[in-house]
Amino acid sequence: FVLFLSVIFFSGETRYNKDKILQGQGVDEPLSDTGFRQADAAGVFLSNVKFTHVFSSDLLRAKQASASSGKSSCCKDLEIKYDARLRERKYGVAEGRPLTDLKAMAKAAGEQCPSFTPSGGETLSEVRERARDFFEFLCRLAVEAGQNKQQTHSAASNSLGRSEVQSVLPWTDHCSEPELNSDNSGASKQLDANILVVSHGAYMRNWFVYFVSDLKCTLPTTLTKSQLSSVSPNTGVSHFVIKLDKENILRPEINCVYLNQDSHL
């Protein structure tokens, strides 16, 4: 099975975002006018993609962003599934306060941001555990989707010609195309799942660290360490190709096609 996971930061700008005030989970501001425009632009950017599933954080700003993207042809016919595991990192007593306050708290504790955990907040390990749990859920979902295809289609219908493959790959018009696995005939295989995930910057940064440190994700050669550790711009787009072995689905091969793409903004 080959799972293509498309991770989209559709948490567009809010008023608190702009003013550098921590929102986390306890403060859930709606999108600003700019935030809605950003989500619309990202939806257009992905309008040539044929998604099979759409998941979103259940926080208001992510719901609004996912609904805005849902108007695009990329996923207008799909039901958006809301999941608390995709929520932003919880910042406890620092939520609703300026980012400078969190930095001051960290300094007083002799620690550095973002590893510092304010009272009532989530540790980075706890955030990463949420990301791991949700990703393993996606892996099982992809395998189930692949098995359903095998039951309803012949082997021939599971192989796509080159022109057909291009119609379902979002990077075709925006980025260089990675090499896909092929069967013995050399034909590229159809993706079993093409998933859109709508979440938040700090949460997704921890997801990427999990991909790289725990699952040994292959990164673009041009990507720097600072880019990997930075928070994505609002509605930045990241693409991963994930190869699943049905005998050991929790040890996938992951290739990062690009990270925090923001050319649509």
Side-chain angles (χ1 to χ4, degrees):
F1 300 106
V2 177
L3 162 64
F4 174 74
L5 171 61
S6 180
V7 182
I8 312 301
F9 294 98
F10 261 120
S11 286
E13 182 188 274
T14 67
R15 176 173 59 93
Y16 275 27
N17 244 180
K18 186 176 180 180
D19 294 338
K20 299 186 182 305
I21 295 175
L22 290 169
Q23 295 170 98
Q25 298 181 15
V27 178
D28 200 10
E29 279 280 298
L31 293 180
S32 64
D33 289 343
T34 297
F36 279 110
R37 287 194 296 270
Q38 291 169 338
D40 288 342
V44 171
F45 178 77
L46 293 167
S47 61
N48 67 320
V49 186
K50 183 180 178 182
F51 287 109
T52 58
H53 305 80
V54 181
F55 293 94
S56 171
S57 159
D58 62 352
L59 296 177
L60 174 61
R61 56 195 187 272
K63 282 185 172 182
Q64 290 179 326
S66 61
S68 184
S69 68
K71 298 174 185 176
S72 169
S73 59
C74 68
C75 49
K76 64 181 180 181
D77 297 325
L78 295 176
E79 178 186 1
I80 300 171
K81 303 286 188 179
Y82 300 108
D83 198 302
R85 289 173 293 183
L86 294 173
R87 289 180 180 179
E88 180 59 289
R89 181 185 181 188
K90 185 178 181 181
Y91 286 99
V93 297
E95 292 181 351
R97 298 171 64 174
L99 176 60
T100 52
D101 283 7
L102 178 64
K103 293 180 178 179
M105 292 179 194
K107 184 177 181 180
E111 299 183 35
Q112 296 289 327
C113 286
S115 59
F116 170 71
T117 304
S119 177
E122 282 183 295
T123 66
L124 294 183
S125 295
E126 289 171 333
V127 178
R128 203 166 303 164
E129 177 61 21
R130 276 202 287 128
R132 182 198 61 78
D133 186 55
F134 186 76
F135 177 64
E136 290 182 357
F137 158 73
L138 290 185
C139 291
R140 290 188 290 269
L141 179 71
V143 169
E144 181 181 348
Q147 290 172 337
N148 289 339
K149 284 183 180 181
Q150 287 183 335
Q151 292 171 0
T152 57
H153 297 283
S154 67
S157 67
N158 278 334
S159 295
L160 293 180
R162 183 70 173 178
S163 61
E164 292 173 293
V165 170
Q166 289 181 343
S167 69
V168 299
L169 296 180
W171 58 75
T172 302
D173 294 337
H174 310 299
C175 221
S176 59
E177 185 175 334
E179 182 180 352
L180 290 177
N181 285 349
S182 299
D183 58 23
N184 291 334
S185 67
S188 296
K189 292 183 178 179
Q190 184 176 7
L191 298 169
D192 294 304
N194 197 15
I195 302 172
L196 172 64
V197 177
V198 182
S199 189
H200 309 272
Y203 171 82
M204 295 309 303
R205 176 173 58 185
N206 280 276
W207 195 346
F208 295 159
V209 172
Y210 161 64
F211 272 5
V212 173
S213 62
D214 293 10
L215 300 181
K216 311 305 178 186
C217 172
T218 300
L219 299 171
T221 56
T222 56
L223 191 69
T224 65
K225 288 186 177 180
S226 62
Q227 288 174 317
L228 179 64
S229 61
S230 64
V231 174
S232 170
N234 289 319
T235 70
V237 178
S238 298
H239 288 161
F240 296 87
V241 173
I242 299 161
K243 179 184 177 182
L244 296 175
D245 180 347
K246 63 181 179 180
E247 301 300 326
N248 188 12
I249 65 171
L250 300 185
R251 300 303 301 175
E253 294 180 19
I254 305 177
N255 176 61
C256 177
V257 181
Y258 55 77
L259 193 71
N260 299 338
Q261 167 73 259
D262 63 353
S263 62
H264 56 282
L265 297 177

